[in-house]
């Protein structure tokens, strides 16, 4: 029998993927280790496909989860499948210069400003990975560091993000994480 929390059969539903302790009212909350009865157990590494119908959700929140999964390409493909047309996927994960990257031994990867552009397409992308119509990326910096205003400048344009990451600046002023919004 399917868990009623996993139905997500109405477009407009919101999925909190890998919610941890961030349990949101009115959302479908799933996590590998549920700490609350409002959270349904879901192992992204062993469940294929995800137990949701095509086009079930309008929005998916995946904060601090994709850096932990074995096959990120498969999970991204599944997210695309369960989002309705025009739906969005909000991702947050550690930037490759983040001091937090190596504090958690379960982190398998880090992200750059261009990581999620791969899923939108381009000459280097396989057809099975396409399907996202667009991506917006923001690089975030730690709390109140002196170079936090640098983040505002860097995020003015994707070209500035690339310059930041292609030069010594990213190591001189390390970022905290990458936030990406992909549109189906």
């Amino acid at each position: 029998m399917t868990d009623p929390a996993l139905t997500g059969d109405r477009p407009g539903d919101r999925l909190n993927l890998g919610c941890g302790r961030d349990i949101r009212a009115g959302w479908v909350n799933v996590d590998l280790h549920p700490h609350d009865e409002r959270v349904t157990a879901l192992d992204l590494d062993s469940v294929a496909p995800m137990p949701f119908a095509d086009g079930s959700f309008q929005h998916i929140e995946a904060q601090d989860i994709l850096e932990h999964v074995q096959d990120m390409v498969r999970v991204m493909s599944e997210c695309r499948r369960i989002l309705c047309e025009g739906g969005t996927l909000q991702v947050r994960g550690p930037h490759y210069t983040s001091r937090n990257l190596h504090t958690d031994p379960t982190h398998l990867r880090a992200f750059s400003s261009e990581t999620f552009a791969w899923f939108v397409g381009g000459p280097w992308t396989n057809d099975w990975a396409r399907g996202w119509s667009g991506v917006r990326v923001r690089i975030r910096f730690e709390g109140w560091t002196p170079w936090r205003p640098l983040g505002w400048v860097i995020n003015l344009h994707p070209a500035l993000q690339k310059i930041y990451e292609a030069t010594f600046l990213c190591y001189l002023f390390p970022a905290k994480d990458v936030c990406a919004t992909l549109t189906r």
Side-chain angles (χ1 to χ4, degrees):
M1 184 172 154
T2 305
D3 185 329
L6 295 179
T7 56
D9 26 349
R10 297 178 321 276
D13 281 347
R14 296 169 294 174
L15 175 63
N16 191 2
L17 198 58
C19 67
R21 298 193 188 279
D22 179 24
I23 301 164
R24 300 177 182 191
W27 291 58
V28 176
N29 296 284
V30 297
D31 196 78
L32 177 60
H33 303 291
H35 302 296
D36 188 289
E37 65 276 352
R38 298 169 292 173
V39 179
T40 303
L42 180 65
D43 183 355
L44 295 175
D45 283 325
S46 65
V47 174
M50 285 188 207
F52 305 108
D54 294 0
S56 298
F57 298 100
Q58 180 64 38
H59 181 73
I60 299 173
E61 194 80 25
Q63 292 192 20
D64 304 315
I65 187 67
L66 292 181
E67 65 270 20
H68 297 278
V69 298
Q70 295 285 334
D71 190 351
M72 186 177 122
V73 173
R74 184 190 57 78
V75 172
M76 290 291 292
S77 179
E78 278 295 292
C79 287
R80 185 183 73 235
R81 179 186 66 80
I82 64 176
L83 274 171
C84 63
E85 196 65 37
T88 55
L89 168 64
Q90 180 72 42
V91 177
R92 182 180 72 198
H95 188 268
Y96 67 87
T97 61
S98 173
R99 67 182 180 87
N100 297 323
L101 174 61
H102 301 291
T103 59
D104 185 341
T106 65
H107 284 172
L108 301 176
R109 70 185 49 81
F111 305 108
S112 78
S113 65
E114 296 187 69
T115 301
F116 297 97
W118 187 87
F119 294 97
V120 175
W124 60 88
T125 307
N126 295 317
D127 287 340
W128 54 267
R130 295 181 192 270
W132 298 96
S133 64
V135 62
R136 287 186 332 267
V137 176
R138 209 173 90 246
I139 298 173
R140 292 189 338 150
F141 291 82
E142 289 284 344
W144 292 102
T145 58
W147 55 86
R148 189 169 184 211
L150 181 65
W152 182 82
V153 173
I154 289 168
N155 289 308
L156 283 174
H157 195 276
L160 293 172
Q161 293 172 340
K162 290 177 188 176
I163 291 168
Y164 163 75
E165 290 179 333
T167 64
F168 69 94
L169 290 173
C170 68
Y171 297 105
L172 188 59
F173 307 109
K176 179 180 181 185
D177 49 36
V178 173
C179 299
T181 303
L182 290 99
T183 306
R184 181 174 190 283

